[in-house]
Amino acid sequence: MSDQTEPTAEHLEREGDIAADYLEGLLDIADIDGDLELDVRQGRAYVSVESDDASLRALSDPDTVQALQELTRIAVQRETGEFSRMILDIGGSRETRRRELETLVEAAAEKLDAGATQASLPPMSSYERKLVHDIAAERDLLSESYGEGPSRHTVLRRA
């Protein structure tokens, strides 16, 4: 599949299956219980790990989830030969991060209300920047990403 071809639902489901197998292996090695759910959302495979196990809660730290997501993407790429944009959620970490990003956007909106012409947010992943763009649009703010690589960040302005 080329970079310009949208992945099919079948392809994304296969990515999810490969990711789930990889994650099950990691959880087994760490002796952590977890239930995996697979889904396809917004053109991406989405894998969610849920459990009441306290050890799983320790894995739900955003930096840890990001690292595990990258490892899982590499495992999927090794199997398929293609770049994966799958999303990993551990113990509701994605919803927690969305709430944190909403707080950042609200703080930026307050700066704009106080007279600032723009408000820059810290660097974040492409997935998080997409969430920021969505949150900003919900609040009638203009958003644009600037920078390269790990320093890429979002700048907000009033519409």
Side-chain angles (χ1 to χ4, degrees):
M1 177 178 354
S2 74
D3 290 337
Q4 298 174 7
T5 304
E6 287 295 316
T8 64
E10 181 179 305
H11 178 83
L12 293 172
E13 288 169 1
R14 182 167 180 255
E15 277 191 21
D17 288 339
I18 295 166
D21 288 345
Y22 178 78
L23 289 165
E24 282 176 350
L26 284 177
L27 292 174
D28 285 347
I29 290 168
D31 196 29
I32 297 173
D33 290 325
D35 298 320
L36 282 86
E37 289 189 25
L38 310 177
D39 199 2
V40 172
R41 300 180 189 173
Q42 300 175 335
R44 293 181 181 209
Y46 190 94
V47 180
S48 176
V49 183
E50 296 294 331
S51 175
D52 292 332
D53 191 328
S55 301
L56 186 66
R57 283 192 290 280
L59 293 178
S60 66
D61 171 77
D63 290 335
T64 304
V65 173
Q66 185 69 27
L68 289 172
Q69 177 176 278
E70 291 305 315
L71 288 172
T72 305
R73 285 178 172 179
I74 291 168
V76 170
Q77 183 175 359
R78 186 186 65 229
E79 188 85 17
T80 65
E82 297 170 0
F83 178 74
S84 172
R85 294 177 51 221
M86 63 80 57
I87 298 297
L88 176 61
D89 181 33
I90 297 178
S93 60
R94 293 293 172 180
E95 183 56 35
T96 299
R97 183 60 177 150
R98 181 180 173 84
R99 286 192 302 271
E100 291 170 353
L101 294 173
E102 287 172 343
T103 300
L104 279 176
V105 171
E106 289 299 325
E110 288 174 11
K111 288 179 184 176
L112 296 171
D113 289 342
T117 57
Q118 65 182 31
S120 294
L121 300 181
M124 56 188 71
S125 71
S126 62
Y127 179 78
E128 291 172 324
R129 287 192 314 276
K130 186 204 179 307
L131 289 176
V132 166
H133 292 305
D134 292 345
I135 295 164
E138 291 168 5
R139 289 160 175 74
D140 295 322
L141 296 171
L142 299 175
S143 61
E144 202 166 345
S145 294
Y146 294 95
E148 298 294 324
S151 64
R152 192 149 173 88
H153 63 283
T154 307
V155 175
L156 303 176
R157 293 180 183 81
R158 281 279 167 211

